[in-house]
Amino acid sequence: SDHSHKHDEL
Amino acid sequence: MNLFRFLGDTAHLASILVLIHKMHTTKSCRGISFKTQALYVAVFVTRYLDLFYRWVSLYNFFMKLFFIGSSCYILFLMKTKFRPTQDPAIDTFRIEYLLGPCTVIALIFNYKFSPTEILWSFSIFLESVAILPQLFLLQRTGEAETITTHYLAALGIYRALYIPNWIYRYFTEGVVDPIAITAGLVQTGLYIDFFYVYVTKVLQGQKFELPA
């Protein structure tokens, strides 16, 4: 899966 | 979540509290760039639009609210209560030179060509250079109140801690975010000159003064 779209950082 | 990121976010939060504390105790926003603070509002608002459609965690949710709220509060203080202590004549960095290129780069480099993803990219690129009006102001005046330098140091530490966070995430989760990493490295790099003076002067108990 592409983790770059997670945007889980501030 | 790992310790580097948590401490980084804590430093970020602390930097904002230091800035608000500085304004209230000195009853002044002298030495603070309104332009940089306004850019941070733009950064937080464009990045945290996902508050409306993406749930990450309670921590993430409240931190986002804090960053949007506190940055707006700082602008409000600078435009109302402490307006007389602000000197626009020295806050002269042309922010068009940041907003324009960041818009173009966000249109080229993004994870998906959609409004929210482009705005997210824009906010990442804009954050990386948002400190420039502040550093420019510092360069112009050649000195800074100690509390202002603590604010900048905390911001720099926040950025620096995100680097080991990305290294850690690469090895533990296989996560790589090239946009955030590239912009983050640039952003951290901007603090190097400041940190040199901070460590060699302020931390030795001297006043922050740039060599003439």
Side-chain angles (χ1 to χ4, degrees):
Chain A
S1 63
D2 188 354
H3 292 288
S4 57
H5 294 82
K6 276 169 75 174
H7 297 329
D8 59 352
E9 294 181 350
L10 293 160
Chain B
M1 177 58 75
N2 59 64
L3 193 62
F4 300 115
R5 185 144 57 104
F6 177 71
L7 291 177
D9 290 343
T10 307
H12 194 188
L13 196 136
S15 75
I16 291 169
L17 296 178
V18 166
L19 177 57
I20 293 172
H21 176 75
K22 172 240 167 348
M23 295 205 282
H24 281 299
T25 51
T26 65
K27 295 185 170 45
S28 155
C29 57
R30 195 166 70 94
I32 302 299
S33 165
F34 179 81
K35 289 180 175 174
T36 282
Q37 298 306 319
L39 290 177
Y40 282 137
V41 171
V43 164
F44 294 137
V45 170
T46 51
R47 188 177 312 162
Y48 299 158
L49 284 174
D50 68 356
L51 275 170
F52 293 107
Y53 60 87
R54 179 190 291 121
W55 180 261
V56 178
S57 66
L58 209 58
Y59 168 83
N60 186 279
F61 177 78
F62 281 110
M63 289 294 258
K64 282 172 174 169
L65 287 188
F66 173 81
F67 289 127
I68 292 175
S70 60
S71 62
C72 290
Y73 177 60
I74 289 166
L75 277 199
F76 168 75
L77 286 180
M78 292 185 83
K79 275 294 162 201
T80 56
K81 210 173 171 184
F82 303 124
R83 191 182 188 121
T85 63
Q86 198 201 318
D87 187 0
I90 55 166
D91 191 13
T92 52
F93 194 95
R94 300 281 296 268
I95 55 169
E96 313 77 290
Y97 295 150
L98 303 178
L99 294 169
C102 285
T103 306
V104 174
I105 296 170
L107 287 168
I108 301 169
F109 299 99
N110 51 67
Y111 293 127
K112 194 176 164 223
F113 201 77
S114 73
T116 54
E117 283 294 320
I118 291 167
L119 283 172
W120 180 86
S121 273
F122 172 78
S123 85
I124 293 288
F125 295 127
L126 187 61
E127 186 191 346
S128 72
V129 291
I131 199 63
L132 284 175
Q134 178 64 59
L135 294 176
F136 189 69
L137 192 158
L138 202 67
Q139 193 74 245
R140 275 195 72 153
T141 54
E143 54 164 45
E145 292 167 57
T146 301
I147 186 98
T148 303
T149 66
H150 293 331
Y151 161 66
L152 286 167
L155 265 185
I157 289 167
Y158 144 60
R159 288 319 311 182
L161 283 167
Y162 260 69
I163 296 172
N165 156 61
W166 292 319
I167 296 170
Y168 182 87
R169 295 195 78 178
Y170 171 73
F171 286 110
T172 56
E173 302 166 51
V175 167
V176 177
D177 185 334
I179 291 177
I181 292 173
T182 310
L185 290 175
V186 169
Q187 187 175 355
T188 312
L190 296 180
Y191 286 91
I192 291 176
D193 279 357
F194 164 80
F195 258 100
Y196 177 76
V197 183
Y198 183 74
V199 171
T200 57
K201 293 218 169 172
V202 181
L203 292 185
Q204 315 296 323
Q206 298 171 38
K207 190 177 161 54
F208 184 94
E209 269 176 325
L210 294 173

